Amino acid sequence: MFNFLKKSSSDDSQPRKGWAWALQVGGYAGSQSNPSWADIHEELIELVQDSDSYLILEQRDPTDPKRYWFIQCAIALQGPYAGQYSLEVGYRKGGKGYLLDCTLPTLEQVTAYFDQAFRWKKLDYTGFEDMSDMVQ
């Protein structure tokens, strides 16, 4: 009966509508605040197989900068997935950092994840590996 009094719970593993976007691109010193979808898409297309080529789309809680959410991508340089896209999602919940990782063979698949995130759609992490033990 009093459901309207309950504070809505949010899923920290998903992007937040109330948090601004910032775009970081490898090889550049700074980040771009409030990028457009066209900016993000163009940078995804320009990814190359190089250690300085990566893209991070991130959000920070405006009331607590220690809370964040991001999606990032680079092209694997070596190993069994060389030449494929390494996609990671990271977030902070309860003072602990989490990192999820998957490898995707095509730019179209990567673009779909970034598009969903940018439009605050719920991301499906099926097939992602939990790499949180690598986060401090």
Side-chain angles (χ1 to χ4, degrees):
M1 179 170 163
F2 294 104
N3 276 344
F4 67 93
L5 294 177
K6 287 185 179 179
K7 189 175 182 178
S8 65
S9 65
S10 56
D11 183 351
D12 290 324
S13 73
Q14 299 293 326
R16 300 289 185 77
K17 280 192 177 183
W19 298 1
W21 289 113
L23 180 64
Q24 294 182 16
V25 180
Y28 298 102
S31 66
Q32 178 183 350
S33 297
N34 299 313
S36 69
W37 172 245
D39 296 329
I40 297 163
H41 190 249
E42 179 181 333
E43 295 296 348
L44 282 169
I45 291 169
E46 292 180 5
L47 284 174
V48 295
Q49 194 172 0
D50 183 278
S51 61
D52 285 334
S53 183
Y54 59 86
L55 183 100
I56 304 170
L57 182 61
E58 68 179 339
Q59 299 179 299
R60 291 214 177 260
D61 183 340
T63 63
D64 179 2
K66 291 182 180 179
R67 289 183 64 207
Y68 58 81
W69 185 93
F70 69 82
I71 185 169
Q72 65 186 12
C73 185
I75 300 176
L77 300 176
Q78 56 189 8
Y81 300 108
Q84 294 189 32
Y85 296 87
S86 175
L87 182 71
E88 295 178 335
V89 170
Y91 58 96
R92 194 154 187 90
K93 177 180 178 181
K96 181 178 179 343
Y98 293 86
L99 183 66
L100 307 174
D101 174 79
C102 77
T103 303
L104 298 169
T106 69
L107 177 61
E108 290 76 20
Q109 291 170 305
V110 170
T111 300
Y113 273 98
F114 273 85
D115 181 58
Q116 285 180 282
F118 186 72
R119 299 181 197 299
W120 300 292
K121 304 285 185 189
K122 186 170 176 70
L123 298 177
D124 179 4
Y125 297 124
T126 303
F128 279 69
E129 184 178 349
D130 187 349
M131 306 290 284
S132 299
D133 58 335
M134 297 177 64
V135 179
Q136 294 185 19

